[in-house]
Amino acid sequence: MPSVPETAAAAGTGRTPPDTGQARAGQDPLCDAGEPAALTSLQLMRLLDTGPRGLTEQQAEERLVRHGENVVPAWRPVSWPRRFLGSLRDPFTTVLLCLGLVSAAVASWGTACVIMVLVVVSCVLRSGGEHQASRSMAALCELVATTASVQRRADDETPPAVRELPVDQLVVGDVVRLGAGDLVPADVRLLRSSGLTVHQAALTGESEPVPKYARDAPADGGAELPEPPHLCFQGSSVASGSGTAVVIATGADTRFAAAYRDPARRPTETAFDRSVHGIAWTLIRFMLVTPPLVLMANAALRGRGLETLPFAIAVAVGLTPEMLPVIVTAALARGASALAGTSGVIVKRLPALHDLGAIDVLCLDKTGTLTQDRPVVERSVDARGDDDPDVLRWAAVNSFWTLELAELPAPDTLDEAILGAAADQGTDPAEYEGIAALPFDPSRRLATAVVRRPGRHGTHTLVVKGAAEDILGRCGRLAVDGADTDLGDEERERLLGFAAREAADGLRLLAVARAERPARLGSYGHHDLRGLTFLGFVALRDALTPSAGEALDDLARRGVEVKILTGDHPGTAARACRDLGLDPGEVLTADRLGTLTGPPLAEAVRRATVVARCTAQDKARIVAALRESGRTTGYLGDGVNDLPALRAADVGICPRGAVTVAREGADVVLAEKDLTAIDRAITAGRNSSGNIAAYLRITLSSNLGNVIAMLAAGLLLPFLPMLPAQVLVQNLFFDAAQLAFAFDRPAHAALHTPAVLRPRAFLRYITAFGLLNAAADIATFAVLAFALHTTAGPGDPAMFHAGWFTENLLTQAMVMLLLRTGRHAAESRAAGPVHLAVAALAVIGVLLPLSPLGPTLDMSPPPPLYYALLAAVLTLYAIALAAARKRHASRQH
């Protein structure tokens, strides 16, 4: 067997040792890791009161009792009662609560009871939906790792033994073993390592495995690096190699747990909050003004006093969309339930579903969304840059025999890609006889396989692959067209420049070289890697996610702009975008953005699709700047380093496989890290938002028209145009019918643009259509006056009340049918919930005044002539309504 290089050092950095008396809780491991990371092995062993053989069982038990289990702190789930009380903070719910109290104060008990029922139903629906989402999230939570290989002793005289222990039993000073595929169970410093590389994308966002190696006393500045090469952190995983390490931090002291120390949600309003609050305050202003106007006008023109106060309150209630909290919650809860059932998407915060529909910019990292966590071979080229499959063949020989002879547990992703591509072209590395192997060494960045070629029993061939700089530095000759020539400095610089250009274009290049040596029995070492012959390069790129291209096209059609915020090389990210058909635009790096914040930063990234070399703070800063510039932002992330950006976005999104802290900080959890799932979630959000918008447009325009008509009639008529009880019953039926909007299916056009509830646009819409509705109501006054004058005399309030009650419900049914954004008859022949609600509303409007319940509400049947004239008014109103809608739609486009 060949000699396998192994770096060794004594235990290294650490937390405050158990016997120093210093407090450990609440300290940032990164803040105090700098000094211990620079300690010598002996100093650190003394500091941690441990040794290479590990702790005794008694020491471990004492430290476990003193400092607690190695578990990540979790946020407490919000109880159902607290969620219920929290839903009372909704502005419309608060307004309804105040109106209910005022109604009770003036003894309008019917109005007060109905309003309170609406408040309770809304709060129950919202808190129940969010509580169910919270329970679903609790089922996803698991520990970062379950067990770890720990080296402990029964007592001081007993030799150490390695056994599997639950991760929560680890303590500072424990010596653990790491192997390929293991999750790092705590923050550790390496004592020994062999070809160790780790994935730490969950912490730093780096998609490539990072080399890690032991150091005795880092004197070259490595201890001051943000990611010291001799430290491994909880939340990362071993990609290849093996190592022995000492635990330096557990539980709340780990870097992984540091993200839990600020559990607060985002400090600013989300898109849903901004939209609903804007509309709410517009209506609240109208409501505050309306009752005093009614009282003053009736007192001045009709000499009525406080007896009109119930009517004034009824008018204010009539202007309020009482069912808004219920319909909003029902629409969002229905959408969230459908997403969970069909796509496995959990919406933890119901308003986040609306925010999903309103997203116009989605920020994400490329790894796992645009690309997979593995490379593929793009091509193999010789020294002149021409395609040469022979280079790939030799690279495959290196990968195969390095894996076989070095006894590595599994190939890394680069070797897997090379072996797979070589198999596709028919190469069989087993044709060669393996002699020895030197596995990948992170410090030298190369791997070597020694083989015997068929028919050459007296010669060994050294096949070396690795980083271009390290391979070319060991090469003295160059293979071109089957012949070897000397490799001069000029040619070496040319090849290095070629490698740099390919890297800038997003490819990762591995240089391949070989050397012939006389066969021998002794072992091989790195001193043999001199005078190599350079063969060429194997170029690899990130494997694209199969569904990413189609998902990006779908997002573009829905008006969602994608921003790639990544810690990777700018060329790598730009190439992935180009391969998927996404124009990378101006590729920026975070250092070029300097300290920009707010609108200047948003303008700087407006033309860019890719911002590379981003830290966690850079991502959060960019997302916050986009929000401040008026964009509705979503952020997809799965690591600890993504948490600041998840909190800064309007809606934070993470996959189920994300680290626990990211799942708890996100608003939406996907079954997989897949852009198609986000597209489905956005579609569901726009469905729900479209129904909410349709309800708001219809109810507000109809209510505004009725209020204007009631104010006018109250001043023109010698009696109240409608009694408070009649207004309440009319609103109750209209509101109940509008529950159908929570189950409607919006037209396809409503899914093509972000669903944003803009207060000014709503105000213009409801004003235009409200005035049209008021005109129809006033025309009905004329019709009623004529019909009553002709038949029963003009002064019969009961007939007037019945006639206007019927007209109001019929016009409201017409508005629901003609102004909805749902599918038209051409799209669906089946009667939907809105059609059924409209039919029921029309039947009630016509039959209730004629039924035995009519007299109890002080209504008597109008004369037949009224219904004939009303049909003419409604026909003209329908024509005007359709024309106004068509004109409004043409202006929108």
Side-chain angles (χ1 to χ4, degrees), residues 122 181 243 479 538 571 605 652 672 677 855 858 885:
S122 172
V538 176
V605 301
E672 302 292 341
D858 198 19
R885 175 183 171 173

Side-chain angles (χ1 to χ4, degrees), residues 10 67 83 165 249 253 275 281 353 443 458 540 548 595 659 762 802 808 836 879 889:
H67 302 294
R83 291 186 187 276
L165 282 180
D253 290 333
S275 300
W281 282 109
L353 187 60
S443 61
L540 301 101
T595 58
V659 297
F762 268 92
N808 266 337
L836 297 177
I879 294 172

Side-chain angles (χ1 to χ4, degrees), residues 181-206:
D182 288 345
L183 293 172
V184 179
D187 288 357
V188 301
R189 177 170 170 174
L190 293 171
L191 305 178
R192 291 179 295 276
S193 65
S194 176
L196 184 67
T197 61
V198 302
H199 283 293
Q200 51 186 28
L203 298 170
T204 65
E206 297 172 278

Side-chain angles (χ1 to χ4, degrees), residues 448-539:
T448 305
V450 183
V451 300
R452 181 182 291 117
R453 301 167 71 177
R456 297 191 180 186
H457 298 288
T459 303
H460 287 172
T461 301
L462 279 69
V463 187
V464 188
K465 78 173 190 303
E469 298 87 347
D470 296 82
I471 294 292
L472 286 168
R474 290 170 168 78
C475 290
R477 299 184 65 78
L478 186 70
V480 179
D481 295 331
D484 294 353
T485 61
D486 290 336
L487 176 62
D489 292 339
E490 183 177 345
E491 184 67 10
R492 184 178 285 106
E493 290 300 321
R494 184 188 69 80
L495 290 170
L496 289 174
F498 173 80
R501 289 191 299 273
E502 292 293 284
D505 193 39
L507 293 177
R508 180 173 182 179
L509 260 63
L510 290 178
V512 183
R514 74 167 185 258
E516 304 294 336
R517 299 283 189 266
R520 71 189 192 201
L521 296 177
S523 63
Y524 286 87
H526 287 287
H527 59 275
D528 294 304
L529 305 182
R530 300 295 177 192
L532 305 177
T533 299
F534 180 77
L535 300 179
F537 295 104
V538 176

Side-chain angles (χ1 to χ4, degrees), residues 69-131:
E69 294 183 339
N70 176 36
V71 294
V72 176
W75 296 338
R76 286 186 176 182
V78 180
S79 64
W80 191 90
R82 287 186 62 188
R83 291 186 187 276
F84 181 88
L85 294 176
S87 21
L88 290 173
R89 291 178 296 181
D90 177 87
F92 278 115
T93 304
T94 303
V95 169
L96 284 179
L97 196 59
C98 293
L99 286 175
L101 294 176
V102 172
S103 300
V106 297
S108 184
W109 300 111
T111 304
C113 290
V114 171
I115 290 176
M116 291 304 177
V117 168
L118 294 176
V119 169
V120 172
V121 169
S122 172
C123 292
V124 167
L125 284 175
R126 173 167 293 186
S127 55
E130 293 184 357
H131 185 67

